[in-house]
């Protein structure tokens, strides 16, 4: 049975104001048209799903199309917007901040835009972080730099205190740029506002360098991440081939999902092994990683290994469960562990030269590339359009290459992971030549 309301977006109320955007309502006049509240896009475009709906006599599950509405909820001249960035750094954050400010100011004429410093900490007065006034002139060049203009932090804050701060500063809409934890915070803030019968729109813009936000095509900054990582793999390959039995190990980010490691290996096809969190592998045994690596060295005299930070955690004995401020399990260093195990294994077998490279923080602090820059602007604009229409507790995102609005609680139910039976992972195996199973 289809859940027709699965992707319904909550609203603060009826839209009583006319949008200041001079758009069209007529097809064929060569002017972009407003998006109707009834405009929907099918979630699953497969023929199998189409036939299933046809046979069951049910309407397909649809998503709300993103874009500017003809009637809006907020009176722009009396509206205050706030922007906050949370969690780890990622290419493109500044592009999104800039896009939000430009859209709020130039599209809708909103004059008061507040920057919340250092993540959700900035909404806790006890932390002593002063708000930043955001204007087009202040943010016009920030897209050229990585990091976040507003600063970031990890960890929870008291939801009631944060909503008090929003109300005390008469904030009408909050845009939160962040990953899984940040988006769950958006939902919690939205629920607290609803309990108070408040009229504050809270909007999430999905950000995670690991590309592990569920449902959406990809998160911003991800393409830049493996783009920046690619030349590092090229240079690591040069190091490996420059020595007899040379081995390069490159650790890339990917706590629970290996998308960066896998995509970088495809983009720079000089990699021989990709180890990701989604796969179980053993070091020992005839089919284990070390034996397969030994065969590789016998044949080619060099090897390039890319490992995601969350891979191989099952190999650590007596591992203690420790979490960071965001509630994420802190992983053991698989890169250093692999290096030590390889040295130990080959000590009595053959001489090897190992180079270990961890460019993680260089990758995540890079400025967005052209593709991500375009994507970031699109996400920012659509987030503003949705907020102005009075929508709340939603994320602006892209699914099936179309911009849509999704409820926050739908994208935070689970993490997106690489399907080991899917075409993407098979492409990685074809490129590297590694076996389907290691161990």
């Amino acid at each position: 049975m289809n859940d027709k309301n699965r992707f319904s977006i909550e609203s603060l109320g009826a839209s009583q104001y006319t949008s200041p955007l001079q758009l069209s309502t007529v097809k064929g006049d060569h002017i972009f048209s407003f998006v109707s509240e009834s405009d929907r896009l099918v979630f699953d475009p497969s023929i199998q799903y189409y036939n299933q709906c046809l046979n069951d006599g049910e309407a397909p599950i649809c998503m709300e199309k993103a874009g500017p509405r003809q009637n809006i909820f907020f009176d722009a001249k009396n509206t205050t917007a706030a922007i906050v960035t949370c969690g780890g750094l990622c290419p493109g954050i500044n592009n999104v901040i800039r896009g939000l400010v430009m859209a709020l100011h130039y599209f809708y004429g909103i004059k008061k835009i507040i920057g919340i410093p250092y993540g959700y900490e900035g909404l806790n007065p006890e932390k002593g972080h002063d708000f930043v006034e955001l204007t087009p002139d202040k943010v016009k060049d920030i897209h050229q730099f990585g990091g976040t203009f507003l600063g970031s932090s990890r960890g929870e804050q008291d939801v009631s205190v944060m909503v008090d701060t929003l109300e005390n500063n008469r904030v009408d809409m909050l845009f939160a740029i962040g990953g899984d934890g940040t988006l769950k915070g958006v939902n919690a803030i939205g629920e607290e506002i609803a309990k108070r019968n408040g009229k504050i729109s809270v909007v999430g813009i999905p950000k995670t360098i690991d590309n592990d936000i569920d449902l959406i095509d990809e998160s911003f900054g991800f393409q830049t991440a493996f783009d920046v990582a690619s030349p590092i793999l090229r240079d690591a390959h040069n190091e490996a081939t420059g020595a007899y039995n040379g081995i390069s190990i490159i650790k890339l980010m990917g706590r629970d999902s290996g998308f960066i490691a896998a995509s970088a290996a495809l983009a720079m096809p000089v990699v021989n092994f990709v180890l990701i969190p989604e796969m179980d592998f053993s070091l020992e045994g005839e089919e284990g990683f070390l034996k397969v690596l030994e065969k590789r060295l016998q044949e080619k005299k060099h090897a390039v290994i890319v490992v995601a930070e969350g891979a191989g955690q099952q190999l650590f004995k007596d591992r203690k469960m420790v979490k960071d401020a965001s509630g994420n399990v802190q992983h053991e260093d698989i890169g250093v562990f692999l290096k030590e195990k390889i040295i130990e294994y080959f000590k009595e077998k053959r001489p090897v030269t190992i180079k270990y490279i961890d460019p993680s923080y260089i990758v995540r602090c890079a400025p967005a590339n052209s593709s991500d820059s375009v994507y970031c602007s699109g996400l920012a604009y659509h987030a503003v359009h949705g907020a102005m229409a009075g929508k709340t507790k939603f994320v602006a995102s892209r699914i099936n290459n179309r911009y849509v609005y999704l409820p926050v609680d739908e994208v935070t139910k689970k993490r997106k992971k690489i399907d080991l039976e899917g075409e993407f992972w098979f492409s990685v195996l074809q490129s590297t030549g590694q076996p389907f199973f290691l161990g």
Side-chain angles (χ1 to χ4, degrees):
M1 182 68 67
N2 284 338
D3 182 1
K4 296 179 182 179
N5 298 318
R6 178 183 176 189
F7 295 134
S8 295
I9 306 298
E10 293 185 28
S11 173
L12 297 176
S15 295
Q16 300 177 346
Y17 299 94
T18 300
S19 173
L21 300 178
Q22 300 298 307
L23 301 180
S24 174
T25 58
V26 180
K27 296 294 183 183
D29 61 0
H30 305 293
I31 299 174
F32 184 71
S33 296
F34 286 110
V35 174
S36 168
E37 286 296 332
S38 62
D39 283 344
R40 296 289 187 272
L41 296 169
V42 176
F43 175 63
D44 183 349
S46 70
I47 189 65
Q48 291 87 351
Y49 181 62
Y50 171 81
N51 287 331
Q52 177 189 325
C53 291
L54 203 62
N55 293 333
D56 295 342
E58 295 183 341
I61 296 175
C62 293
M63 306 165 291
E64 194 169 308
K65 186 177 179 182
R69 268 55 176 175
Q70 186 174 13
N71 297 311
I72 56 178
F73 179 82
F74 291 104
D75 179 12
K77 64 179 180 293
N78 296 314
T79 296
T80 297
I83 303 170
V84 64
T85 62
C86 309
L89 300 181
C90 170
I93 298 176
N94 283 337
N95 299 67
V96 176
I97 296 171
R98 183 185 189 277
L100 290 170
V101 173
M102 296 303 184
L104 289 163
H105 183 91
Y106 289 115
F107 295 177
Y108 290 98
I110 292 176
K111 304 304 181 190
K112 189 170 183 182
I113 308 170
I114 296 170
I116 309 295
Y118 303 112
Y120 285 144
E121 273 191 15
L123 289 171
N124 183 351
E126 292 185 0
K127 298 295 183 180
H129 303 314
D130 295 329
F131 292 163
V132 179
E133 181 186 1
L134 297 178
T135 64
D137 191 56
K138 276 189 178 178
V139 303
K140 65 180 181 180
D141 296 321
I142 63 174
H143 62 290
Q144 300 182 45
F145 304 95
T148 167
F149 175 75
L150 294 175
S152 186
S153 67
R154 295 186 184 274
E156 297 180 2
Q157 299 296 324
D158 188 295
V159 175
S160 182
V161 170
M162 291 193 289
V163 175
D164 286 344
T165 302
L166 294 174
E167 291 181 337
N168 293 339
N169 289 273
R170 298 184 178 180
V171 171
D172 299 293
M173 53 184 69
L174 173 68
F175 298 93
I177 305 167
D180 184 74
T182 304
L183 297 180
K184 288 177 178 176
V186 167
N187 215 43
I189 291 170
E191 289 178 356
E192 177 65 21
I193 291 169
K195 288 179 184 176
R196 303 183 185 191
N197 295 315
K199 299 298 180 183
I200 304 174
S201 170
V202 285
V203 184
I205 295 146
K207 174 231 64 160
T208 164
I209 199 170
D210 292 349
N211 194 37
D212 59 359
I213 299 291
D214 195 33
L215 301 180
I216 68 175
D217 288 353
E218 65 182 36
S219 49
F220 76 81
F222 167 64
Q223 287 206 18
T224 301
F226 71 80
D227 189 16
V228 172
S230 293
I232 297 172
L233 302 190
R234 176 200 62 206
D235 296 342
H237 173 258
N238 293 339
E239 280 286 352
T241 57
Y244 180 68
N245 290 330
I247 301 171
S248 285
I249 304 171
I250 309 93
K251 186 177 78 170
L252 296 176
M253 302 189 88
R255 182 186 289 112
D256 299 298
S257 305
F259 287 103
I260 293 179
S263 298
L266 283 174
M268 184 58 64
V270 295
V271 178
N272 310 116
F273 298 96
V274 178
L275 307 177
I276 58 174
E278 292 87 341
M279 63 184 289
D280 288 324
F281 64 94
S282 301
L283 295 181
E284 311 298 336
E286 282 300 310
E287 304 299 327
F289 171 72
L290 292 173
K291 192 67 176 181
V292 176
L293 174 61
E294 183 179 9
K295 293 176 182 176
R296 164 75 195 182
L297 293 180
Q298 288 173 347
E299 295 174 3
K300 300 294 184 179
K301 305 300 184 289
H302 74 277
V304 178
I305 305 163
V306 173
V307 58
E309 63 178 310
Q313 294 303 301
Q314 75 281 358
L315 301 175
F316 293 92
K317 297 178 180 179
D318 302 322
R319 180 181 168 218
K320 295 181 179 179
M321 191 71 72
V322 179
K323 294 186 177 181
D324 63 18
S326 296
N328 300 307
V329 175
Q330 289 186 331
H331 290 318
E332 302 290 341
D333 195 327
I334 184 62
V336 172
F337 178 81
L338 274 181
K339 178 183 176 182
E340 292 173 349
K341 290 297 182 181
I342 291 171
I343 290 173
E344 180 183 320
Y345 179 80
F346 286 106
K347 186 175 182 180
E348 304 298 332
K349 292 176 176 289
R350 63 175 64 222
V352 294
T353 301
I354 301 178
K355 298 294 189 295
Y356 175 60
I357 304 165
D358 182 357
S360 298
Y361 294 103
I362 295 173
V363 170
R364 78 174 197 167
C365 289
N369 64 14
S370 298
S371 178
D372 265 325
S373 294
V374 172
Y375 187 29
C376 289
S377 294
L379 290 173
Y381 297 162
H382 286 296
V384 170
H385 294 318
M388 288 302 298
K391 301 178 189 303
T392 189
K393 292 168 62 179
F394 74 93
V395 296
S397 53
R398 196 166 60 189
I399 295 182
N400 302 327
N401 208 32
R402 303 289 296 276
Y403 285 101
V404 296
Y405 297 138
L406 291 175
V408 170
D409 57 4
E410 282 294 325
V411 300
T412 56
K413 286 181 176 178
K414 62 179 182 178
R415 298 286 180 94
K416 181 169 69 174
K417 294 179 179 289
I418 293 176
D419 179 5
L420 296 183
E421 295 184 16
E423 184 178 357
F424 175 65
W425 181 243
F426 180 55
S427 297
V428 175
L429 298 182
Q430 289 181 108
S431 177
T432 60
Q434 75 184 61
F436 281 99
F437 303 101
L438 291 171

